């Protein structure tokens, strides 16, 4: 069983101020397969302040150097790919071969793409008589879902780091373990302190605090439409940027008179 009793803030594994923990349930056996801390608003505030303190230095770090860190993270994910695949397969209930390809493979590719983008993107560009300068927005809060737990993290964290932003991540409390593995990888590559921070918690507590925090410049959220509406509402009070990916898709409805074997086979094929 994977048990974590600390969160990752300012380049250190630190005890949370929040009380209690979340049990992570194996989708196949319905047994507890892991445990992570139940962070609170004070933990989120510490993480944001660490990210804010790190922003000036990270944003001025040459893009090529940022790319090198992203390549190291990519290599770390690849090295622990089998562990990640097995962990996510159990968290979300996906066959191991698919988890190996999707849940471990795609995040590896995403960090590699972010590294390539950081190294080649025209952050400054002469357009006629004008110099167009593209600057990092600041501290980015990332709130990610359970169904693609590491891939959605990579899709938010990788580009943010490539752009020179610092990050505070709140993964889904239902499937958080791969995010903790990522934090271990990031710690091992010695990313500068405070550039990446991880606070586990639920939406009404940590997610709400992140969205409302005045030192968070942007929130990137993937989840339900109802929660996305709340993110927009709370973020509007501090006029921060918001990126939303909302709603479910790919519903698979099987009626009573269906050929069950055929319907299940077809549903699995379509979903993959």
């Amino acid at each position: 069983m994977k048990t974590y009793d600390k969160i990752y803030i300012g380049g250190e594994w630190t005890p949370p101020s929040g009380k209690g923990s979340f049990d992570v349930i194996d989708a196949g056996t319905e047994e507890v397969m892991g445990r992570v801390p139940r962070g609170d608003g004070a933990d989120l505030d510490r993480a944001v302040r660490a990210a804010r303190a790190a922003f000036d230095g990270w944003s001025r770090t040459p893009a090529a150097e940022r790319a090198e860190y992203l390549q190291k993270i990519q290599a770390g994910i690849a090295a622990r790919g089998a562990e990640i695949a097995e962990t996510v397969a159990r968290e979300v209930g996906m066959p191991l071969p698919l988890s190996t390809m999707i849940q471990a493979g795609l995040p590896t590719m995403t960090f590699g793409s972010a590294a390539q983008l950081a190294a080649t993107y025209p952050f400054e560009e002469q357009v006629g008589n004008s110099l167009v300068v593209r600057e990092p927005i600041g501290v980015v809060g990332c709130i990610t879902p359970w169904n693609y737990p590491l891939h959605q993290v990579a899709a938010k964290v990788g580009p943010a780091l490539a752009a020179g932003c610092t990050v505070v991540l709140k993964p889904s409390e239902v499937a958080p373990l791969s995010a903790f593995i990522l934090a271990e990888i990031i710690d091992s590559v010695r990313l500068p302190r405070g550039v990446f921070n991880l606070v586990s918690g639920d939406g009404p507590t940590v997610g709400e605090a992140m969205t409302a925090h005045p030192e968070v410049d942007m929130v990137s959220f993937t989840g339900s439409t109802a929660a996305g509406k709340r993110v927009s509402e709370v973020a509007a009070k501090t006029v921060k940027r918001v990126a939303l990916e909302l709603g479910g898709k790919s519903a698979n409805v099987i009626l009573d008179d269906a050929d069950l074997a055929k319907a299940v086979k077809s549903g699995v094929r379509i979903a993959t």
Side-chain angles (χ1 to χ4, degrees):
M1 186 168 75
K2 295 180 179 293
T3 299
Y4 294 92
D5 59 2
K6 296 178 180 178
I7 53 180
Y8 192 72
I9 296 177
E12 295 181 355
W13 290 101
T14 178
S17 62
K19 305 300 180 184
S21 60
F22 295 102
D23 287 342
V24 183
I25 306 301
D26 187 310
T29 66
E30 298 187 350
E31 297 176 348
V32 176
M33 61 172 285
R35 192 168 286 119
V36 299
R38 185 183 291 267
D40 63 10
D43 295 317
L44 187 279
D45 181 66
R46 286 193 294 134
V48 172
R49 294 185 185 281
R52 173 59 60 194
F55 173 68
D56 285 346
W58 181 247
S59 63
R60 291 196 300 265
T61 300
E65 187 175 337
R66 297 200 299 265
E68 289 177 2
Y69 277 111
L70 290 166
Q71 288 173 336
K72 291 177 182 178
I73 295 170
Q74 177 192 24
I77 294 173
R80 298 181 68 174
E83 177 188 3
I84 291 168
E86 181 181 359
T87 298
V88 179
R90 295 176 64 192
E91 283 182 312
V92 307
M94 176 177 282
L96 186 57
L98 284 178
S99 185
T100 300
M101 178 176 62
I102 296 171
Q103 304 289 5
L106 290 181
T108 307
M109 295 172 59
T110 298
F111 271 99
S113 296
Q116 183 178 14
L117 189 61
T120 59
Y121 188 77
F123 288 98
E124 293 190 7
E125 185 177 14
Q126 191 75 35
V127 179
N129 294 325
S130 300
L131 178 64
V132 178
V133 180
R134 299 173 177 89
E135 298 178 330
I137 189 170
V139 177
V140 178
C142 302
I143 305 174
T144 56
W146 64 269
N147 56 336
Y148 283 81
L150 186 56
H151 176 252
Q152 284 293 317
V153 168
K156 298 179 189 301
V157 173
L161 297 182
C165 298
T166 54
V167 169
V168 179
L169 168 66
K170 189 207 87 64
S172 167
E173 66 274 22
V174 176
L177 298 178
S178 60
F180 277 79
I181 294 174
L182 175 64
E184 291 173 342
I185 292 168
I186 287 175
D187 186 65
S188 72
V189 305
R190 300 185 182 278
L191 193 69
R193 292 175 178 270
V195 172
F196 171 87
N197 306 272
L198 167 65
V199 179
S200 49
D202 60 25
T205 305
V206 174
E208 185 97 358
M210 177 187 290
T211 305
H213 202 292
E215 293 295 322
V216 173
D217 299 292
M218 178 177 179
V219 174
S220 179
F221 171 82
T222 299
S224 71
T225 301
K229 289 179 180 179
R230 180 60 180 168
V231 168
S232 292
E233 177 186 351
V234 175
K237 297 177 182 178
T238 50
V239 200
K240 55 171 57 71
R241 292 190 189 181
V242 177
L244 302 175
E245 181 187 10
L246 306 180
K249 64 179 185 63
S250 305
N252 187 27
V253 180
I254 301 176
L255 302 181
D256 291 340
D257 61 348
D259 181 330
L260 186 60
K262 184 178 179 180
V264 169
K265 183 178 180 180
S266 175
V268 171
R269 178 178 55 81
I270 292 170
T272 56

